[in-house]
PDB file of all heavy atoms in Angstrom:
ATOM      1  N   GLU Y  15      -9.683 -60.681 -11.392  1.00 96.00           N
ATOM      2  CA  GLU Y  15      -8.627 -61.664 -11.110  1.00 96.00           C
ATOM      3  C   GLU Y  15      -7.439 -60.930 -10.500  1.00 96.00           C
ATOM      4  O   GLU Y  15      -6.940 -59.970 -11.070  1.00 96.00           O
ATOM      5  CB  GLU Y  15      -8.247 -62.353 -12.438  1.00 96.00           C
ATOM      6  CG  GLU Y  15      -7.025 -63.223 -12.396  1.00 96.00           C
ATOM      7  CD  GLU Y  15      -7.191 -64.424 -11.473  1.00 96.00           C
ATOM      8  OE1 GLU Y  15      -7.939 -65.340 -11.817  1.00 96.00           O
ATOM      9  OE2 GLU Y  15      -6.570 -64.417 -10.390  1.00 96.00           O
ATOM     10  N   ASP Y  16      -6.995 -61.399  -9.349  1.00 95.00           N
ATOM     11  CA  ASP Y  16      -5.896 -60.699  -8.678  1.00 95.00           C
ATOM     12  C   ASP Y  16      -4.526 -61.214  -9.090  1.00 95.00           C
ATOM     13  O   ASP Y  16      -3.525 -60.552  -8.850  1.00 95.00           O
ATOM     14  CB  ASP Y  16      -6.056 -60.821  -7.160  1.00 95.00           C
ATOM     15  CG  ASP Y  16      -6.079 -62.276  -6.712  1.00 95.00           C
ATOM     16  OD1 ASP Y  16      -6.860 -63.052  -7.292  1.00 95.00           O
ATOM     17  OD2 ASP Y  16      -5.317 -62.636  -5.805  1.00 95.00           O
ATOM     18  N   ASP Y  17      -4.474 -62.384  -9.691  1.00 94.00           N
ATOM     19  CA  ASP Y  17      -3.183 -62.984 -10.036  1.00 94.00           C
ATOM     20  C   ASP Y  17      -2.738 -62.519 -11.426  1.00 94.00           C
ATOM     21  O   ASP Y  17      -3.335 -62.911 -12.435  1.00 94.00           O
ATOM     22  CB  ASP Y  17      -3.340 -64.509 -10.008  1.00 94.00           C
ATOM     23  CG  ASP Y  17      -2.032 -65.230 -10.267  1.00 94.00           C
ATOM     24  OD1 ASP Y  17      -1.070 -64.583 -10.753  1.00 94.00           O
ATOM     25  OD2 ASP Y  17      -1.975 -66.436 -10.001  1.00 94.00           O
ATOM     26  N   ASP Y  56     -13.037 -64.495 -10.550  1.00 93.00           N
ATOM     27  CA  ASP Y  56     -12.232 -65.389  -9.717  1.00 93.00           C
ATOM     28  C   ASP Y  56     -12.803 -65.343  -8.301  1.00 93.00           C
ATOM     29  O   ASP Y  56     -13.101 -64.274  -7.786  1.00 93.00           O
ATOM     30  CB  ASP Y  56     -10.782 -64.879  -9.742  1.00 93.00           C
ATOM     31  CG  ASP Y  56      -9.878 -65.662  -8.797  1.00 93.00           C
ATOM     32  OD1 ASP Y  56     -10.135 -66.863  -8.603  1.00 93.00           O
ATOM     33  OD2 ASP Y  56      -8.932 -65.067  -8.263  1.00 93.00           O
ATOM     34  N   GLY Y  58     -11.265 -66.428  -5.531  1.00 89.00           N
ATOM     35  CA  GLY Y  58     -10.244 -66.176  -4.514  1.00 89.00           C
ATOM     36  C   GLY Y  58      -9.659 -64.781  -4.665  1.00 89.00           C
ATOM     37  O   GLY Y  58      -8.640 -64.590  -5.311  1.00 89.00           O
ATOM     38  N   LEU Y  59     -10.322 -63.796  -4.086  1.00 92.00           N
ATOM     39  CA  LEU Y  59      -9.873 -62.404  -4.212  1.00 92.00           C
ATOM     40  C   LEU Y  59      -9.254 -61.923  -2.901  1.00 92.00           C
ATOM     41  O   LEU Y  59      -9.583 -62.446  -1.841  1.00 92.00           O
ATOM     42  CB  LEU Y  59     -11.061 -61.518  -4.597  1.00 92.00           C
ATOM     43  CG  LEU Y  59     -11.641 -61.800  -5.981  1.00 92.00           C
ATOM     44  CD1 LEU Y  59     -12.955 -61.069  -6.161  1.00 92.00           C
ATOM     45  CD2 LEU Y  59     -10.654 -61.409  -7.073  1.00 92.00           C
ATOM     46  N   LYS Y 105      -9.797 -73.859 -12.323  1.00 85.00           N
ATOM     47  CA  LYS Y 105      -8.385 -73.649 -12.646  1.00 85.00           C
ATOM     48  C   LYS Y 105      -7.615 -74.948 -12.455  1.00 85.00           C
ATOM     49  O   LYS Y 105      -7.876 -75.637 -11.474  1.00 85.00           O
ATOM     50  CB  LYS Y 105      -7.776 -72.612 -11.696  1.00 85.00           C
ATOM     51  CG  LYS Y 105      -8.161 -71.187 -11.964  1.00 85.00           C
ATOM     52  CD  LYS Y 105      -7.495 -70.306 -10.905  1.00 85.00           C
ATOM     53  CE  LYS Y 105      -7.870 -68.855 -11.098  1.00 85.00           C
ATOM     54  NZ  LYS Y 105      -7.335 -68.004 -10.034  1.00 85.00           N
TER      55      LYS Y 105
HETATM   56 CA1  LIG K   1      -7.167 -65.310  -6.960  1.00 92.28          CA
END
Side-chain angles (χ1 to χ4, degrees):
E15 170 64 71
D16 58 309
D17 184 345
D56 175 32
L59 294 169
K105 285 179 181 175

